[in-house]
Amino acid sequence: MSPELIGLGYIVSAALFIFGLKQLGSPDTAVRGNQLSSIGMLIAIVVTLLGQGIVDFKWIAGAAILGALVGGIAAQKVEMTSMPEMVALFNGTGGIASLAVGWAALYPFPEANSAFTLVTIVLSILIGGITFSGSLIAYGKLSEVMTSSAIVFGGQRIVNSLILVGIVVCAVMFVMNPDPTSPVFWTLLALSLLLGIMAVIPIGGADMPVVISLLNSYSGLAACAAGFAINNNILIVAGSLVGAAGLILTNIMCKAMNRSLANVLFSGFGAVKQATKVEGEVKPIVSEDAFLILEAASNVTFVPGYGMAVAQAQHVVRELGDLLEANGCEVTFAIHPVAGRMPGHMNVLLAEANVPYDQLVEMDDINPRIENVDVAVVIGANDVVNPAAREDENSPIYGMPIINVDKARTVFVLKRSMASGFSGVDNPLFFGENTRMLFGDAKESISKVIAEFKG
Amino acid sequence: MEAVFLAFILLLSIFLGFELISKVPATLHTPLMSGANAISGITIVGAIMSAGGDHGTMATWLGAFAVFTATINVVGGYMVTNRMLSMFKKKESPATGGGSA
């Protein structure tokens, strides 16, 4: 296969990636978009197998079959609630692959590489290593194998600065004397992995959506760096598309929490400010009364949070939504950008429960017309509906955009008991004039209301 | 000169990426991320070249390892994205126009 033909194959696959991503922009075409993108990948692989002077296929075949089995089984088995962990792991495998590709580019003649190539090799090892170890820590935090709260210790910044300095020194020494068996190289490798760990441990549970987005971006940039290292433009194109995607999502997540990226990365959450304690009386409601109010409502919005998924309540919530619609009521699901544990997670969980996607509305769409909502049902969400974010300057979440459920005519809050939510801030919503608390397990409470509807 | 050429490609691709992705609605952000993640498995191309080329034992081993991990990324990423996307359904009866998303 001539170099021109190889190049042409890569162009086709790049075009398919781009077109695939474009089609991911609408739920109607997204399935096809993903398929196009996978065909692009297949073309890139086939072209490489046929055209890049491959002399030995047995290692490739063995490794690919094994990898396909592991990836395929994981993709089939994973629960939708565990999607963030899965994506974190997939990010990690991509990162370590780029690390290995950069490393392998050193052989057989490390000295034969130009200084520029050596720098890009170092970069692919560095970014790949950070992506890999960072993703493993993210996985640990998300799956609660390890503590999900921020791990901070004295002198953390000094340690991190030392690691960074160490990496720069090793990188410069390595580029000047590229010997992959030298202690300098091994130190570089170890420090890259260490940096990934150090970068993710100080980030608390509520900030994980930002971290996954960022690691997603890194996995793309690692592929990009590997592309420079082996002089291959399809790696650069595809890698930078992914890098850009991750950065945009990171930015969206940060905005939705009203925090800068630096603030998320370098400070543990919550320790800064003490919210003004709100005092008041909660007004509990029983499911019979909740039913009567819902039956009379003509416009109901559900505001789900991750707690809904934990209670596995999404299916009964959808059933209640169907009953309300049959009753002539307009039903929507209002979703905050950081509901769930990764961008768009809540939408996937609701889609799994067969909620049609045209019922899902974004925060910016529901807020302007929230006054017309008869009942806003808050299920397992806390911070994203906390009016303190709007009103209390002392609140740690002050300034974060929220869904203004307190402005709806009636608010139902489903809550197990009166403990405060994830970041430990008190929520004045619970004491609101128009708020009714429906205590108990979310799934049971909703089931009782459904029983009333059917009875 | 080669480096400049590659940097040029990098620059254009990043701009293109920003343009493409900023149009994806929030509803699809999780599949977008896992789909993009699968694309980052493109590093498999480099892995194949190391594993199958004639660059010595060490390169073969590193390459084979990279083929393994990158394949997990590619196959797993595309399959899980497909699984998620096939759950997204439109409302069947368009008569009762509900949300305005």
Side-chain angles (χ1 to χ4, degrees):
Chain A
M1 212 184 243
S2 70
E4 285 78 21
L5 218 54
I6 298 170
L8 201 65
Y10 286 162
I11 289 175
V12 172
S13 95
L16 286 171
F17 288 146
I18 292 164
F19 208 60
L21 279 174
K22 189 172 159 55
Q23 296 209 325
L24 266 180
S26 152
D28 295 324
T29 55
V31 173
R32 198 149 40 99
N34 188 52
Q35 282 161 359
L36 282 182
S37 161
S38 66
I39 294 169
M41 184 65 73
L42 189 68
I43 291 176
I45 292 172
V46 170
V47 166
T48 310
L49 284 171
L50 297 180
Q52 296 279 22
I54 307 297
V55 291
D56 183 359
F57 289 91
K58 63 175 188 292
W59 287 106
I60 299 173
I65 291 170
L66 216 58
L69 274 176
V70 174
I73 292 171
Q76 287 300 316
K77 291 267 181 241
V78 63
E79 299 276 338
M80 286 301 139
T81 41
S82 313
M83 198 49 71
E85 294 90 295
M86 192 81 259
V87 171
L89 277 186
F90 286 156
N91 273 335
T93 57
I96 189 99
S98 294
L99 181 152
V101 168
W103 187 352
L106 289 168
Y107 296 95
F109 309 111
E111 314 77 34
N113 291 300
S114 70
F116 174 76
T117 308
L118 285 169
V119 170
T120 59
I121 288 175
V122 167
L123 275 178
S124 58
I125 291 173
L126 182 63
I127 307 175
I130 292 173
T131 312
F132 176 65
S133 58
S135 296
L136 286 188
I137 299 292
Y139 169 79
K141 286 190 170 222
L142 287 164
S143 61
E144 284 167 9
V145 172
M146 58 185 284
T147 168
S148 63
S149 49
I151 301 173
V152 268
F153 54 86
Q156 200 158 15
R157 285 184 195 189
I158 302 171
V159 174
N160 289 349
S161 313
L162 286 177
I163 296 176
L164 270 178
V165 171
I167 286 175
V168 173
V169 170
C170 287
V172 171
M173 284 170 71
F174 181 74
V175 171
M176 294 200 299
N177 179 24
D179 176 5
T181 54
S182 70
V184 172
F185 179 75
W186 293 109
T187 314
L188 183 67
L189 202 62
L191 286 178
S192 305
L193 294 172
L194 190 61
L195 186 62
I197 297 172
M198 296 299 287
V200 179
I201 55 167
I203 299 172
D207 291 336
M208 288 321 278
V210 179
V211 180
I212 310 185
S213 310
L214 200 61
L215 287 169
N216 192 235
S217 176
Y218 287 170
S219 76
L221 295 178
C224 214
F228 276 99
I230 61 168
N231 228 329
N232 185 312
N233 49 24
I234 186 71
L235 261 71
I236 298 177
V237 173
S240 45
L241 288 176
V242 180
L247 277 182
I248 288 183
L249 292 174
T250 309
N251 193 27
I252 292 173
M253 290 296 107
C254 285
K255 269 194 192 143
M257 297 195 294
N258 187 40
R259 298 169 68 196
S260 70
L261 183 57
N263 183 262
V264 171
L265 295 183
F266 302 121
S267 71
F269 192 54
V272 212
K273 281 176 171 176
Q274 191 63 45
T276 318
K277 291 274 178 198
V278 262
E279 287 189 5
E281 203 179 345
V282 295
K283 293 178 265 311
I285 190 173
V286 289
S287 42
E288 289 79 16
D289 297 337
F291 158 70
L292 292 174
I293 296 174
L294 283 173
E295 201 205 12
S298 60
N299 191 332
V300 172
T301 289
F302 291 95
V303 184
Y306 186 65
M308 182 193 71
V310 174
Q312 282 295 312
Q314 56 268 45
H315 295 273
V316 287
V317 170
R318 197 259 311 152
E319 200 184 340
L320 180 58
D322 288 350
L323 286 168
L324 285 167
E325 276 212 313
N327 195 31
C329 172
E330 184 181 329
V331 178
T332 48
F333 291 80
I335 297 172
H336 192 277
V338 293
R341 297 186 305 162
M342 70 184 286
H345 190 199
M346 196 49 63
N347 306 69
V348 172
L349 293 171
L350 289 170
E352 190 194 15
N354 288 323
V355 174
Y357 61 78
D358 30 11
Q359 273 186 356
L360 310 180
V361 293
E362 291 177 29
M363 175 174 67
D364 296 336
D365 294 324
I366 192 75
N367 273 343
R369 54 191 169 99
I370 195 93
E371 281 89 357
N372 301 323
V373 171
D374 292 320
V375 187
V377 186
V378 178
I379 308 165
N382 185 3
D383 287 351
V384 298
V385 291
N386 188 345
R390 224 174 37 222
E391 288 148 9
D392 176 14
E393 282 184 43
N394 293 319
S395 168
I397 59 168
Y398 179 70
M400 175 173 126
I402 58 159
I403 298 177
N404 297 321
V405 287
D406 55 317
K407 293 185 178 168
R409 293 195 181 107
T410 310
V411 189
F412 288 169
V413 179
L414 278 77
K415 207 162 162 36
R416 188 170 284 279
S417 60
M418 271 308 281
S420 55
F422 204 22
S423 57
V425 289
D426 287 22
N427 193 340
L429 175 71
F430 300 155
F431 305 124
E433 205 40 53
N434 51 347
T435 305
R436 299 290 176 273
M437 306 292 290
L438 194 51
F439 286 116
D441 178 73
K443 192 175 174 180
E444 270 174 37
S445 305
I446 301 267
S447 302
K448 277 186 201 156
V449 178
I450 291 176
E452 292 283 331
F453 255 102
K454 286 179 173 167
Chain B
M1 199 51 212
E2 184 77 19
V4 177
F5 170 66
L6 292 177
F8 198 61
I9 292 181
L10 172 75
L11 184 81
L12 291 178
S13 311
I14 288 179
F15 275 107
L16 179 63
F18 278 127
E19 279 303 310
L20 280 174
I21 310 298
S22 46
K23 295 197 176 73
V24 177
T27 301
L28 290 174
H29 277 166
T30 294
L32 167 70
M33 193 181 273
S34 67
N37 186 229
I39 295 180
S40 76
I42 187 69
T43 197
I44 193 172
V45 163
I48 291 172
M49 285 158 70
S50 300
D54 197 9
H55 308 296
T57 327
M58 191 65 185
T60 307
W61 277 101
L62 284 170
F65 174 70
V67 169
F68 170 64
T69 54
T71 312
I72 298 179
N73 194 189
V74 169
V75 174
Y78 279 122
M79 280 177 68
V80 91
T81 309
N82 191 57
R83 213 181 122 200
M84 275 190 276
L85 287 174
S86 29
M87 290 174 185
F88 281 87
K89 293 196 183 67
K90 220 180 177 130
K91 193 151 47 181
E92 274 151 32
S93 57
T96 49
S100 63

